[in-house]
């Protein structure tokens, strides 16, 4: 064997981290070698470089491997391959495959944004799954009994009552790097509009109604031979305005 090599790397790691790969080379013959091709490869890794190796020299080459942060948990085997093209022959040395594992991770990033306008308040609650595995969770937000009458939610929240309090509750499942958004809207506009409409109706009624109220009643009835021969009707006139009517 002309070259002895060893490869070391982290056995288990998160895809968010850069993984160091170390390849140790040793020239066992008294000749200088140029254009020595060093490669580390697996299903997820493929890194390579050219190095110079002097007579009987020991050399350590470092690779820093990056993964996609969304790479799902899986196991893989990595191998170091060294190729040296001499004048008469190309020599290839391959190390034993070493196992490593991409592990799962997940962290929830929660944010709250409030948008206010006239008689309206919108609360946006967002949960971001910063991870490479699915994540389940729950959003729980207190809902006062008074404001509940003027509140709507998107998506429709479940109602939970505990310890004398009421809560909006959303259960969710998130794919990697996905976001769940719950919206709580407190809108007092319809209530105010109804009050204004009733006020306008009352004002219009008292403004447009007739100022004169006329009622009638029967004052007396005269009968003759079993029938009504005459009757007296009394009219009652009432001025319900503050003005004199002519």
């Amino acid at each position: 064997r002309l070259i002895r090599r060893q490869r070391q790397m982290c056995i288990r790691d998160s895809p968010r981290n850069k993984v160091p790969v170390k390849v140790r080379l040793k020239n066992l013959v008294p000749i200088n070698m140029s254009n020595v091709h060093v490669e580390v490869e697996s299903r997820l890794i493929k890194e390579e470089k050219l190095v110079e190796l002097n007579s009987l020299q020991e050399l350590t080459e470092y690779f820093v491997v990056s993964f996609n942060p969304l790479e799902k948990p899986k196991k893989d085997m990595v191998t170091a391959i060294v190729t040296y093209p001499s004048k008469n022959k190309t020599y290839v040395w391959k190390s034993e495959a070493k196992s490593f594992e991409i592990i799962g991770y997940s962290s929830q990033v929660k944010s709250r944004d409030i948008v206010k306008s006239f008689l309206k308040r919108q609360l946006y609650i967002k949960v971001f799954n910063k991870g490479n595995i699915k994540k389940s969770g729950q959003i729980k937000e207190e809902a006062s009994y008074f404001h509940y009458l003027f509140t709507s939610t998107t998506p429709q929240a479940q109602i939970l009552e505990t310890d004398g309090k009421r809560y909006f509750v959303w259960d969710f499942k998130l794919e990697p790097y996905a976001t769940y958004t719950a919206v709580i809207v407190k809108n007092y506009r319809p209530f105010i509009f109804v009050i204004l409409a009733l006020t306008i109706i009352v004002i219009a009624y008292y403004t447009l109604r007739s100022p004169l109220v006329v009622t009638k009643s029967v004052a007396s009835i005269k009968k003759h031979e079993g029938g009504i021969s005459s009757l007296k009707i009394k009219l009652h006139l009432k001025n319900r305005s503050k003005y004199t009517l002519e």
Side-chain angles (χ1 to χ4, degrees):
R1 295 168 58 183
L2 296 180
I3 299 179
R4 182 175 62 200
R5 67 276 175 212
Q6 297 177 352
R7 188 222 24 93
Q8 297 178 350
M9 73 175 303
C10 183
I11 302 300
R12 303 177 74 246
D13 212 333
S14 165
R16 296 172 295 178
N17 300 329
K18 293 183 178 181
V19 178
V21 179
K22 182 166 58 176
V23 179
R24 293 178 179 173
L25 307 172
K26 185 174 182 180
N27 187 354
L28 302 179
V29 295
I31 60 174
N32 295 330
M33 296 182 179
S34 60
N35 295 323
V36 178
H37 183 263
V38 183
E39 179 181 6
V40 288
E41 67 173 11
S42 73
R43 289 182 300 165
L44 301 176
I45 300 172
K46 187 171 181 62
E47 301 286 341
E48 58 186 0
K49 62 173 61 176
L50 292 176
V51 300
E52 303 291 330
L53 198 59
N54 296 327
S55 172
L56 303 177
Q57 179 187 8
E58 290 191 27
L59 180 66
T60 300
E61 287 296 326
Y62 295 90
F63 297 83
V64 178
V65 179
S66 299
F67 299 99
N68 184 339
L70 296 178
E71 191 67 55
K72 294 182 178 180
K74 59 170 59 75
K75 293 182 178 180
D76 200 359
M77 303 291 289
V78 64
T79 304
I81 301 173
V82 179
T83 304
Y84 170 61
S86 66
K87 293 182 179 180
N88 300 320
K89 182 179 179 181
T90 297
Y91 297 90
V92 178
W93 298 271
K94 189 174 183 179
S95 71
E96 294 180 0
K98 300 294 183 179
S99 64
F100 72 94
E101 181 180 358
I102 296 292
I103 62 174
Y105 73 96
S106 179
S107 61
Q108 292 186 8
V109 181
K110 189 174 181 179
S111 64
R112 299 166 64 92
D113 297 306
I114 298 176
V115 177
K116 293 183 179 180
S117 56
F118 177 68
L119 296 176
K120 189 175 182 180
R121 178 181 183 270
Q122 299 176 82
L123 172 61
Y124 294 84
I125 305 172
K126 297 181 180 181
V127 180
F128 175 64
N129 178 17
K130 191 176 182 180
N132 65 341
I133 57 176
K134 293 182 180 180
K135 185 68 175 181
S136 300
Q138 185 181 83
I139 297 175
K140 185 178 178 181
E141 190 73 16
E142 186 174 353
S144 68
Y145 285 89
F146 173 75
H147 294 292
Y148 178 76
L149 298 173
F150 310 100
T151 302
S152 61
T153 60
T154 304
Q156 185 66 44
Q158 301 178 39
I159 304 300
L160 173 66
E161 295 190 10
T162 179
D163 298 329
K165 294 183 179 181
R166 175 177 289 182
Y167 296 91
F168 292 125
V169 176
W170 296 267
D171 294 312
F172 61 85
K173 292 183 179 180
L174 284 177
E175 296 290 334
Y177 273 66
T179 300
Y180 184 88
T181 302
V183 184
I184 301 175
V185 179
K186 294 180 180 178
N187 188 3
Y188 303 97
R189 293 175 183 175
F191 175 73
I192 299 299
F193 291 157
V194 169
I195 297 298
L196 289 176
L198 291 176
T199 302
I200 292 172
I201 291 173
V202 171
I203 292 174
Y205 169 75
Y206 281 100
T207 301
L208 301 176
R209 70 178 181 173
S210 173
L212 184 64
V213 177
V214 179
T215 59
K216 61 183 179 179
S217 61
V218 178
S220 63
I221 301 175
K222 291 184 179 181
K223 297 183 179 181
H224 178 71
E225 296 182 353
I228 298 175
S229 60
S230 65
L231 58 84
K232 184 184 291 185
I233 297 175
K234 184 184 293 185
L235 295 177
H236 300 271
L237 302 178
K238 180 181 179 180
N239 179 12
R240 57 184 177 185
S241 71
K242 61 181 179 179
Y243 303 104
T244 302
L245 300 178
E246 297 180 358

